[in-house]
Every structure is written in C-alpha cells, then in structure tokens.
Amino acid sequence: DQQVKQNSPSLSVQEGRISILNCDYTNSMFDYFLWYKKYPAEGPTFLISISSIKDKNEDGRFTVFLNKSAKHLSLHIVPSQPGDSAVYFCAASGRGGTASKLTFGTGTRLQVTL
Amino acid sequence: DGGITQSPKYLFRKEGQNVTLSCEQNLNHDAMYWYRQDPGQGLRLIYYSQIVNDFQKGDIAEGYSVSREKKESFPLTVTSAQKNPTAFYLCASSPRQSVAKNIQYFGAGTRLSVL
C-alpha cells in the first residue's frame, strides 16, 4: 500500500521555465512533508519541508505548496536550471510513535534541458 | 567535516554469506536509519534506532540485523536469509525530535551486489 505517491516518473522542462513536481498521500496522520533531491549513486539531499499548519513554504527558487483537503503537495522550482536535473523524492512523517519515520514516494526524475 | 560516512561504496556478496555495511555519523544525532532503494522505487525503511542500545524494525526488516552500541555507529548486516540483497543501501541520521521535526540526513550509500 503506497501511502505516498508520485505519479509522474519523469518530467522534462526547459531551462528558465517552471518545474512542478507533484505528490499525493493517503494517510491523514501525516503532518510533516519533505522534499529530497538525489543524484545517481549519491544519498538524497534535503531540499525543503512544510508542516501541515502551513500551506506554503518558500526557500529561494524552491516553493512547496500543501493542500491538506486534497492530500496533495507540490514542489515548484523557478527558474529551472540544468543543475536541478535529478530525482526528487517526496516524503512524509506523522504524529506520535510514527513521528520519527519517513515514508517516501517513488520519485520523479527531472531533466532540465538547455 | 560533519557528516555521515558509509563504507564500503561497493560490496559484493557470495551466496550464503553475511556482509556488514558500516554507517558512522559525527553530527551528534540521536536517531539513525537504514533504507534500501531498488530501481524505480522509493526508499524503504529496513531498521531504525532512536537511541543507543535500542532499535526497531522498519517495513522490510526480514533478512537484516542491526546493532546500536554507540551513538555514532549503526552497522547493518545483510544475512544469508535475505534472498534478494542486490540494492543501493542508504544510512541516515536525524537529531532528537524537536520543533524542527524529522529532517533526516543521508550518507552517500553502499551498492551491494550478489556474485
């Protein structure tokens, strides 16, 4: 049962344009969401996060939006740069005993073209 | 430099052999985690430890074992009972739960293959 879903395995965007990566979740106990970026043969790098008490969090070129009623979050990258080409993972954690565990999506491979 | 060090980078296992993957962190983090990544899949949690001398099974613990004798170290043993061990293994750590919630920091990974 995939509790965190990234339905687009890949995305291609032109340099300078906006990249939008989507993530859906099913577990209503999730209250904290993270995005990680991963290059091949390397570990994931933390990018940005958002708590369920917010609907938007911005950090430079990266903005994460959370729609709790739809159980949907998205990562916007503006403007996209070639160095953004990587696999992006969405992750979620919940309350109480599960607070220390992260559940990951399957990832979206972003390719930024010149 | 503070960080998480995984070794070796590449590891080969023979049939029936146990192998141990090393993970060391000097971030003074309380919690440590082991994940497995297979092609086209997300990261799946094998084991995690929130404090020294304590650990819990994750979603796919069968065929694996861990120990947490020191705060900075969390080795993972892939036993012969793990029938499909070929994967990319990632170790992570995070500070004690706080207002900042659970941001996990990852090592560079170990790629395990079966001979």
Side-chain angles (χ1 to χ4, degrees):
Chain A
D1 177 28
Q2 193 73 23
Q3 297 187 67
V4 178
K5 301 177 185 179
Q6 294 177 257
N7 292 318
S8 298
S10 64
L11 175 68
S12 183
V13 172
Q14 210 168 18
E15 182 182 11
R17 308 292 288 265
I18 183 172
S19 296
I20 301 176
L21 296 92
N22 294 303
C23 179
D24 297 292
Y25 62 96
T26 57
N27 189 338
S28 57
M29 296 297 288
F30 288 150
D31 67 346
Y32 190 66
F33 304 89
L34 308 88
W35 285 95
Y36 283 85
K37 174 180 179 180
K38 184 181 181 300
Y39 293 116
E42 293 184 11
T45 303
F46 169 72
L47 203 54
I48 192 169
S49 63
I50 187 167
S51 167
S52 59
I53 62 173
K54 294 185 174 182
D55 55 16
K56 175 183 175 182
N57 188 26
E58 192 171 354
D59 184 1
R61 296 187 297 115
F62 302 92
T63 303
V64 55
F65 296 91
L66 175 62
N67 182 334
K68 290 184 289 294
S69 60
K71 293 191 176 68
H72 176 84
L73 63 155
S74 61
L75 174 67
H76 292 211
I77 306 174
V78 183
S80 300
Q81 299 174 353
D84 295 329
S85 298
V87 177
Y88 289 78
F89 289 98
C90 169
S93 69
R95 307 182 188 96
T98 63
S100 64
K101 294 174 64 175
L102 287 181
T103 300
F104 284 83
T106 53
T108 296
R109 182 177 303 279
L110 172 66
Q111 184 174 11
V112 179
T113 59
L114 298 173
Chain B
D1 273 7
I4 301 169
T5 302
Q6 289 187 242
S7 62
K9 194 169 179 65
Y10 300 95
L11 186 59
F12 297 91
R13 192 192 91 167
K14 295 180 182 178
E15 291 287 337
Q17 185 183 38
N18 292 355
V19 292
T20 298
L21 285 63
S22 170
C23 179
E24 303 278 331
Q25 54 100 358
N26 60 6
L27 300 167
N28 199 32
H29 285 172
D30 291 296
M32 297 187 74
Y33 311 81
W34 274 105
Y35 293 89
R36 167 181 172 143
Q37 186 190 16
D38 294 281
Q41 296 196 33
L43 281 66
R44 292 184 291 166
L45 183 64
I46 303 173
Y47 267 99
Y48 66 106
S49 168
Q50 293 179 278
I51 197 169
V52 174
N53 292 322
D54 187 45
F55 49 83
Q56 286 80 40
K57 292 182 179 179
D59 301 318
I60 54 165
E62 186 174 349
Y64 300 97
S65 66
V66 293
S67 63
R68 186 85 187 278
E69 298 176 2
K70 298 186 297 182
K71 185 175 184 177
E72 58 270 22
S73 179
F74 191 41
L76 173 74
T77 297
V78 184
T79 74
S80 57
Q82 172 49 244
K83 299 307 179 188
N84 185 22
T86 297
F88 190 53
Y89 290 85
L90 287 158
C91 178
S93 70
S94 66
R96 185 182 293 276
Q97 281 273 284
S98 67
V99 175
K101 296 290 280 191
N102 184 18
I103 297 175
Q104 295 182 16
Y105 300 88
F106 285 83
T110 293
R111 183 163 298 283
L112 175 63
S113 302
V114 176
L115 290 176

